[in-house]
Amino acid sequence: MGPIWPSYFKDCCSVIFMVDSANTAQVSSSCIQLLSLLSADPLHSVSVLILFNKRDMPCTMSLIEMKSLFRLDDIIASATQPIRTLELSARSGEGLQEVLNWLESIIVK
Ligand SMILES: Nc1nc2c(ncn2[C@@H]2O[C@H](COP(=O)(O)OP(=O)(O)OP(=O)(O)O)[C@@H](O)[C@H]2O)c(=O)[nH]1
Ligand SMILES: [Mg+2]
């Protein structure tokens, strides 16, 4: 669905970018999608949450591995947006409270 995302950017005030941490084959394409999203003009200053999902699966990569594969430190340092990263399991709900806290924090702003 990536090619149609830009049609939603205009009215966006925040972005949640969900990554499948159990899918090694998609890491590079996911990283490219993230970079193109962060460089889109309408998203210049929106709050961004990068969610590493499926942490319950045995084959899941650790947050340290994912951050390293994405070169997230470099991405965060050069991005114009405030970026937060969290781990989550949509299946077990682990990490969900932190996501809700993030949502609340950006709504209050
Ligand atoms: N174990 C586990 N399964 C999850 C989690 N989140 C979603 N799923 C399952 O993942 C499946 C959906 O696959 P995804 O890869 O998330 O969906 P997608 O990226 O739209 O589909 P693909 O393009 O095929 O990768 C469903 O069966 C969900 O139940 C999670 O946190 N843990
Ligand atoms: Mg998938």
Side-chain angles (χ1 to χ4, degrees):
M1 300 301 282
I4 69 157
W5 290 354
S7 50
Y8 297 95
F9 287 173
K10 190 172 65 73
D11 301 316
C12 248
C13 56
S14 61
V15 169
I16 297 181
F17 186 85
M18 176 100 88
V19 179
D20 184 340
S21 309
N23 191 335
T24 43
Q26 279 181 345
V27 170
S28 52
S29 61
S30 179
C31 188
I32 289 165
Q33 290 282 11
L34 175 63
L35 288 170
S36 84
L37 194 143
L38 293 174
S39 61
D41 277 343
L43 302 180
H44 182 266
S45 49
V46 302
S47 294
V48 176
L49 175 63
I50 304 174
L51 272 185
F52 293 102
N53 190 34
K54 303 199 187 180
R55 63 175 297 178
D56 61 287
M57 290 181 68
C59 53
T60 208
M61 287 172 280
S62 70
L63 188 58
I64 291 173
E65 283 173 304
M66 294 304 282
K67 281 184 166 174
S68 159
L69 288 169
F70 271 77
R71 298 189 62 111
L72 255 188
D73 289 342
D74 292 338
I75 290 178
I76 289 171
S78 58
T80 53
Q81 302 86 349
I83 300 180
R84 180 86 200 277
T85 57
L86 288 172
E87 285 182 288
L88 171 81
S89 166
R91 177 154 291 173
S92 73
E94 187 185 357
L96 187 58
Q97 187 57 53
E98 284 87 345
V99 177
L100 296 176
N101 294 347
W102 179 86
L103 270 178
E104 191 180 27
S105 76
I106 63 149
I107 289 165
V108 169
K109 269 180 204 166

